[in-house]
Amino acid sequence: MNPHFLYRARFLRLGLFVLAGFLLTSARGETPPRERLLLDFGWKFHLGDDWGLGEKLDKAGVSLGPAAESFGDASWRTVNLPHDWVVELPFDQKADTSHGFKPVGPGFHDNSVGWYRRTFDLPASDKGRRLTLQFDGVYRDCRVFFNGYLIGHHESGYTGFEYDVTDLAHCGGPNTISVRVDASQFEGWFYEGAGIYRHTWLVKTGPLHITPEETFVYSTFPDNVPGDRSTLHVKTALRNDQSGPVNVAVSWVVLDDKGRNVAQAVDSAALASWSTRQFSQTIPLDSPALWSPETPQLYRLVTTTGYDGEVMDQTITEFGIRTTAFDPDKGFLLNGKPYEIKGTCNHQDHAGVGSALPDHLQYFRIAQLKGMGDNAIRTSHNPPTPELLEACDRLGMLVMDENRLLGSDAQNLDYLQELVQRDRNHPSVFIWSLFNEENRQTTPTAANITSTMQNLVHRLDPTRLCTAAANVGNTFEGVDSVLDVRGWNYHIEPVDAYHREHPAQPEIGTEQGSTVSTRGIYANDSERGYVSAYDDNAPPWANTAKQWWGVYAPRPWLSGGFIWTGFDYRGEPTPYAWPCINSHFGIFDTCGFPKDNFYYYQAWWTDRNVLHILPHWNWAGQEGKEIDVRCLSNCEEVELFLNGTSQGRKKMALNSELRWNVKYSPGTLSAKGYKGGQEVAQDQVETTGAPANIKLSSDRPSIAANGEDVSVVTVVVTDSNNRVSPLAGNLIDFSISGPGKIIGVGNGDPSCHEPDVYIAAQPSHNVALKDWRMKLVDGVGERPETASTFDDSQWEQADVASEGGPLTPGQNAIYRTSFDVSADEMSSPSVILNFGTIDDNGWVYVNGQLAGESHDWAGHPSFAAGKFLHEGKNTIAVVVKNVDGPGGINHGVSLQIADNPKPVQWKRSVFNGLAEVIVQGTKEPGTIELTAHSDGLQSTTLNISAESATPRPAVP
Ligand code: GAL
């Protein structure tokens, strides 16, 4: 038999394991062929630019300050990722308005540089594997060091990046990642946060490995119209990172949503040493289940590779089967049929957590948007976090995936390529947006750049078209002359003229609306920075909901559009500035509580019978005065009643609203909605009594105890009849017990300056360590002088406080001192030994045990000492090796003894009756108890059940 065939047959047998659903391990069964370990937990964080860039450009592997391997970070705060430090800063009127008055960025350098460090052990068995660090997003301009080596500099705050650290790894020992993050400059004109605000991973593979960014699966149908026969196009690249060629095989197995094998293919070829090779196949698939927002049907592509009959790597790619197209007359077509985009633009921040969203919040936000009939989002104005797209694939939401900047230089094309390769397997993504409102968008140069960008996207993804968000009217010059699809930001008047003049170009409303409104407010108030929630106010360049949708709804060729915005976001407070700190464009506030316009869109964007009355009915002091009452509804007729007396029955015009002027008297305002003469909907608002109770509810009955999952808790202040108090502003205290913690609070008030997070103060006191003695020694190996009982009484006294030091180049010495620790101090949660400097190398022993090493003469090393101490007399011995210049221990030594922390008091005012608390579980199952208390109101406790769950594999 031809050996090649024999090989194929063996490999196919391996493929059968995949079909049977076995979790693949290497042939020896020791470790899985690929591990992707979450690297989010237990980072050390320091805010401030105390050490410069950390780079040392003349020699490799000897970086400075926190970039050095041996730097002591014991005194830094411990944080978990995702982490945004800007949300922790206070508001400051002098800070940038469009970034939400947070003192960060230009002019606030001290708050704009942060260092992160994480130390972890790699097992000795990792030797020979490829090790890669992956960052999904760091805002921004970061330098990454691994074991003291500078491994990369990544500027964009919105694209992911990765570094192969195989050569630098200590397998069988500790490894250190240091990341310097510099947010001194902005990339956008909206709140951007700062820090490692997306997930971070450590990926381990064998030397033969799949390159996931080059794995691509898409489907085609004859004439691009879905039918019974689809063709799957699968591509992947394999990399052989070892000396010696191998005869590799690759298999692709397609699993449906029940895990059944529905299609498969194999290929094989020789792969030279240290080389990459592309593989591709087409696979017929009959009767595919189509993906759409209404039927988010997913498949999985299992790509497996190996040689000599052994599986060496495997990846799983989620994908969906659907067709997309644009027709200049019919607009956007999904699965061959016109599909109107009822979309929202969104930035990435949320109340309480800034831009560092736990994954569940993505699902929460997408579910909220779907509730109003939203079927698409635009990731304005940057590549999103991968979990957002995962949520859109799974819940059913189309995505206009947006690149940050116009640019055909190498760096910008790299960012664009990263975006397209990362996101092209997501069925939710239906179009790429190359940029937003570029100042030079009407110039020939911008057209050239756009062509280059669009060509790159088409090469990487033959299945989707490109647009860009252009805030120009009937203008074809510049970018619009080259784009696949004309994108419209605002400018509703000239759309007919443009369509007439460019009948062959498809179009889409990239950014439309947008009403400015504040939840539960019914009059503009420039002093407090509130805008009424009636659909009446829009900035001069924009339009209300009724205005833009009135133009878009009857024009199918516009493909529908995206409202600016789904959720309020921090920054861009419009039309007012301070004290406003966030935008008012949202249909939801920053917490995700709907404003009244939610019901306008729900009425005209869904098939449900919708009837909603506004405003609330608490107008004490305005008895007898006329109140502007409106009904948002898709009923043909609506009749309004005040305390049972009809105020008139009115006919609803398409895409409109109904209004009554009603003389206020307390009681019940109610409405009935009719279709075909039948009553199909009711709504009512009632005058409520004084705030009396607090109610807590979670968005889900239980969460997974995996250390990441969150519960979104709604806080409501009600009257004694459990009716929401629409004017309540009570300050509520929160306490929590059980396996969970609060990670953020919010209330949707655009002018609220209360903190979103409360960080436990870390009070501590310092004890200077004095009475040092010193002796010169020959070497720095294992020294008897480091023993706790060693007698140093005859040694000479040493000065450790001054600059310089007594050691000449090449000299070594031991320094020793002793100190007392009280019983009280032994109960401290942490004791850190801080050195000014140790010049040049130091090995630090506490009671004879090695607490750590320092090899950076300019660093300020610190060591966790608590675990080595005992009550009574303790000793410290430091072996110092001087290399250049004068050396020794300089600038003093002290013990930083943490006092027992006071529990933080989380609190937040409700805004017009509502607030939000985000509760995160630990990895322990159990009941989390969240208690809310406020003077004068009935307290309440919510139980959240944290169910036993397998946490994602993580770096220990
Ligand atoms: C648009 C812009 C958005 C936002 C909005 C505010 O022109 O694309 O990012 O700034 O204006 O109305």
Side-chain angles (χ1 to χ4, degrees), residues 95-101 186 188-192 569-573:
D96 184 57
T97 308
S98 73
H99 280 75
F101 291 108
F186 296 141
W189 52 95
F190 38 85
Y191 177 89
E192 301 185 272
Y569 53 93
R570 289 145 203 269
E572 291 208 307

Side-chain angles (χ1 to χ4, degrees), residues 229-297:
R229 310 223 61 186
S230 73
T231 304
L232 295 181
H233 304 252
V234 292
K235 294 175 189 291
T236 196
L238 299 182
R239 172 130 195 98
N240 181 26
D241 274 326
Q242 59 194 334
S243 304
V246 279
N247 287 320
V248 298
V250 56
S251 82
W252 295 276
V253 174
V254 178
L255 305 178
D256 69 8
D257 61 346
K258 306 219 162 40
R260 294 176 300 213
N261 171 15
V262 291
Q264 64 187 70
V266 292
D267 201 359
S268 61
L271 193 52
S273 49
W274 305 106
S275 73
T276 305
R277 187 172 181 142
Q278 315 287 333
F279 293 79
S280 61
Q281 286 280 339
T282 53
I283 318 177
L285 177 63
D286 290 344
S287 311
L290 299 179
W291 186 96
S292 73
E294 294 71 34
T295 58
Q297 191 76 40

Side-chain angles (χ1 to χ4, degrees), residues 189 381 436-437 489-490 511 541 564 572 585:
W189 52 95
H381 300 298
N436 175 70
E437 296 189 353
N489 276 20
Y490 311 103
E511 190 170 317
W541 59 90
W564 190 264
E572 291 208 307
F585 299 111

Side-chain angles (χ1 to χ4, degrees), residues 376-396:
I377 57 163
R378 170 175 168 229
T379 68
S380 45
H381 300 298
N382 46 262
T385 191
E387 291 71 29
L388 175 62
L389 298 184
E390 213 172 78
C392 291
D393 287 349
R394 293 178 184 179
L395 298 182

